[in-house]
mmCIF file of all heavy atoms in Angstrom:
data_model
loop_
_atom_site.group_PDB
_atom_site.id
_atom_site.type_symbol
_atom_site.label_atom_id
_atom_site.label_comp_id
_atom_site.label_asym_id
_atom_site.label_seq_id
_atom_site.Cartn_x
_atom_site.Cartn_y
_atom_site.Cartn_z
ATOM 1 N N TRP B 159 -31.099 -2.373 -32.012
ATOM 2 C CA TRP B 159 -31.746 -1.371 -32.922
ATOM 3 C C TRP B 159 -30.655 -0.400 -33.465
ATOM 4 O O TRP B 159 -29.646 -0.185 -32.813
ATOM 5 C CB TRP B 159 -32.817 -0.601 -32.292
ATOM 6 C CG TRP B 159 -33.924 -1.414 -31.595
ATOM 7 C CD1 TRP B 159 -34.052 -1.630 -30.294
ATOM 8 C CD2 TRP B 159 -34.949 -2.105 -32.309
ATOM 9 N NE1 TRP B 159 -35.156 -2.485 -30.128
ATOM 10 C CE2 TRP B 159 -35.663 -2.726 -31.312
ATOM 11 C CE3 TRP B 159 -35.238 -2.230 -33.693
ATOM 12 C CZ2 TRP B 159 -36.771 -3.575 -31.627
ATOM 13 C CZ3 TRP B 159 -36.386 -3.024 -33.996
ATOM 14 C CH2 TRP B 159 -37.084 -3.676 -32.979
ATOM 15 N N GLY B 160 -30.914 0.268 -34.624
ATOM 16 C CA GLY B 160 -30.058 1.302 -35.053
ATOM 17 C C GLY B 160 -30.326 2.542 -34.223
ATOM 18 O O GLY B 160 -31.310 2.744 -33.561
ATOM 19 N N MET B 161 -29.300 3.484 -34.360
ATOM 20 C CA MET B 161 -29.407 4.645 -33.550
ATOM 21 C C MET B 161 -30.546 5.534 -33.896
ATOM 22 O O MET B 161 -31.020 6.362 -33.010
ATOM 23 C CB MET B 161 -28.105 5.453 -33.713
ATOM 24 C CG MET B 161 -26.783 4.824 -33.163
ATOM 25 S SD MET B 161 -26.847 4.464 -31.417
ATOM 26 C CE MET B 161 -26.823 6.191 -30.784
ATOM 27 N N GLU B 162 -31.068 5.458 -35.046
ATOM 28 C CA GLU B 162 -32.193 6.310 -35.483
ATOM 29 C C GLU B 162 -33.469 6.049 -34.680
ATOM 30 O O GLU B 162 -34.371 6.818 -34.576
ATOM 31 C CB GLU B 162 -32.424 6.253 -36.937
ATOM 32 C CG GLU B 162 -33.072 4.957 -37.467
ATOM 33 C CD GLU B 162 -32.062 3.795 -37.535
ATOM 34 O OE1 GLU B 162 -30.864 3.985 -37.294
ATOM 35 O OE2 GLU B 162 -32.479 2.593 -37.842
ATOM 36 N N LYS B 163 -33.520 4.826 -34.069
ATOM 37 C CA LYS B 163 -34.629 4.424 -33.312
ATOM 38 C C LYS B 163 -34.614 4.905 -31.870
ATOM 39 O O LYS B 163 -35.593 4.813 -31.151
ATOM 40 C CB LYS B 163 -34.767 2.924 -33.361
ATOM 41 C CG LYS B 163 -34.929 2.276 -34.688
ATOM 42 C CD LYS B 163 -36.459 1.865 -34.873
ATOM 43 C CE LYS B 163 -36.723 1.083 -36.072
ATOM 44 N NZ LYS B 163 -35.695 0.451 -36.932
ATOM 45 N N LEU B 164 -33.438 5.372 -31.461
ATOM 46 C CA LEU B 164 -33.249 5.679 -30.033
ATOM 47 C C LEU B 164 -34.205 6.742 -29.452
ATOM 48 O O LEU B 164 -34.870 6.479 -28.473
ATOM 49 C CB LEU B 164 -31.783 6.194 -29.854
ATOM 50 C CG LEU B 164 -31.303 6.333 -28.480
ATOM 51 C CD1 LEU B 164 -29.858 5.754 -28.352
ATOM 52 C CD2 LEU B 164 -31.314 7.708 -27.972
ATOM 53 N N LYS B 165 -34.270 7.846 -30.191
ATOM 54 C CA LYS B 165 -35.020 8.982 -29.602
ATOM 55 C C LYS B 165 -36.478 8.674 -29.297
ATOM 56 O O LYS B 165 -36.889 8.866 -28.217
ATOM 57 C CB LYS B 165 -34.923 10.201 -30.555
ATOM 58 C CG LYS B 165 -35.457 11.437 -29.953
ATOM 59 C CD LYS B 165 -34.929 12.721 -30.579
ATOM 60 C CE LYS B 165 -35.183 13.925 -29.786
ATOM 61 N NZ LYS B 165 -34.515 15.079 -30.306
ATOM 62 N N ASN B 166 -37.025 8.029 -30.277
ATOM 63 C CA ASN B 166 -38.465 7.629 -30.116
ATOM 64 C C ASN B 166 -38.685 6.676 -28.960
ATOM 65 O O ASN B 166 -39.525 6.846 -28.160
ATOM 66 C CB ASN B 166 -39.007 7.051 -31.413
ATOM 67 C CG ASN B 166 -39.770 8.074 -32.191
ATOM 68 O OD1 ASN B 166 -40.049 9.122 -31.819
ATOM 69 N ND2 ASN B 166 -39.861 7.776 -33.554
ATOM 70 N N PHE B 167 -37.768 5.744 -28.915
ATOM 71 C CA PHE B 167 -37.849 4.677 -27.909
ATOM 72 C C PHE B 167 -37.799 5.302 -26.504
ATOM 73 O O PHE B 167 -38.602 4.963 -25.659
ATOM 74 C CB PHE B 167 -36.843 3.630 -28.133
ATOM 75 C CG PHE B 167 -36.926 2.460 -27.208
ATOM 76 C CD1 PHE B 167 -37.512 1.280 -27.665
ATOM 77 C CD2 PHE B 167 -36.411 2.498 -25.953
ATOM 78 C CE1 PHE B 167 -37.665 0.181 -26.865
ATOM 79 C CE2 PHE B 167 -36.502 1.405 -25.075
ATOM 80 C CZ PHE B 167 -37.129 0.228 -25.480
ATOM 81 N N VAL B 168 -36.815 6.070 -26.344
ATOM 82 C CA VAL B 168 -36.583 6.764 -25.039
ATOM 83 C C VAL B 168 -37.761 7.546 -24.566
ATOM 84 O O VAL B 168 -38.176 7.515 -23.451
ATOM 85 C CB VAL B 168 -35.243 7.609 -25.065
ATOM 86 C CG1 VAL B 168 -35.218 8.459 -23.785
ATOM 87 C CG2 VAL B 168 -34.083 6.700 -25.213
ATOM 88 N N HIS B 169 -38.306 8.325 -25.584
ATOM 89 C CA HIS B 169 -39.513 9.077 -25.213
ATOM 90 C C HIS B 169 -40.694 8.230 -24.841
ATOM 91 O O HIS B 169 -41.374 8.351 -23.793
ATOM 92 C CB HIS B 169 -39.916 9.928 -26.411
ATOM 93 C CG HIS B 169 -39.194 11.263 -26.420
ATOM 94 N ND1 HIS B 169 -38.521 11.720 -27.565
ATOM 95 C CD2 HIS B 169 -38.976 12.216 -25.466
ATOM 96 C CE1 HIS B 169 -37.934 12.894 -27.219
ATOM 97 N NE2 HIS B 169 -38.243 13.229 -25.997
ATOM 98 N N GLU B 170 -40.976 7.251 -25.719
ATOM 99 C CA GLU B 170 -42.132 6.339 -25.508
ATOM 100 C C GLU B 170 -42.104 5.656 -24.226
ATOM 101 O O GLU B 170 -43.046 5.549 -23.517
ATOM 102 C CB GLU B 170 -42.227 5.350 -26.702
ATOM 103 C CG GLU B 170 -43.353 5.788 -27.698
ATOM 104 C CD GLU B 170 -43.164 4.928 -28.910
ATOM 105 O OE1 GLU B 170 -43.125 3.597 -28.794
ATOM 106 O OE2 GLU B 170 -43.186 5.455 -29.999
ATOM 107 N N LYS B 171 -40.902 4.989 -23.969
ATOM 108 C CA LYS B 171 -40.767 4.183 -22.799
ATOM 109 C C LYS B 171 -40.392 4.963 -21.604
ATOM 110 O O LYS B 171 -40.157 4.327 -20.470
ATOM 111 C CB LYS B 171 -39.844 3.025 -23.033
ATOM 112 C CG LYS B 171 -40.148 2.150 -24.200
ATOM 113 C CD LYS B 171 -41.088 1.004 -23.756
ATOM 114 C CE LYS B 171 -41.768 0.317 -24.948
ATOM 115 N NZ LYS B 171 -41.182 -0.758 -25.574
ATOM 116 N N ASN B 172 -40.165 6.220 -21.731
ATOM 117 C CA ASN B 172 -39.784 7.131 -20.575
ATOM 118 C C ASN B 172 -38.506 6.544 -19.897
ATOM 119 O O ASN B 172 -38.438 6.471 -18.687
ATOM 120 C CB ASN B 172 -40.918 7.271 -19.682
ATOM 121 C CG ASN B 172 -40.713 8.418 -18.664
ATOM 122 O OD1 ASN B 172 -40.038 9.430 -19.099
ATOM 123 N ND2 ASN B 172 -41.177 8.345 -17.516
#
Side-chain angles (χ1 to χ4, degrees):
Chain B
W159 307 105
M161 293 300 290
E162 73 282 357
K163 298 256 186 14
L164 189 138
K165 191 159 192 168
N166 268 341
F167 187 97
V168 168
H169 274 128
E170 255 169 50
K171 301 273 162 95
N172 195 31

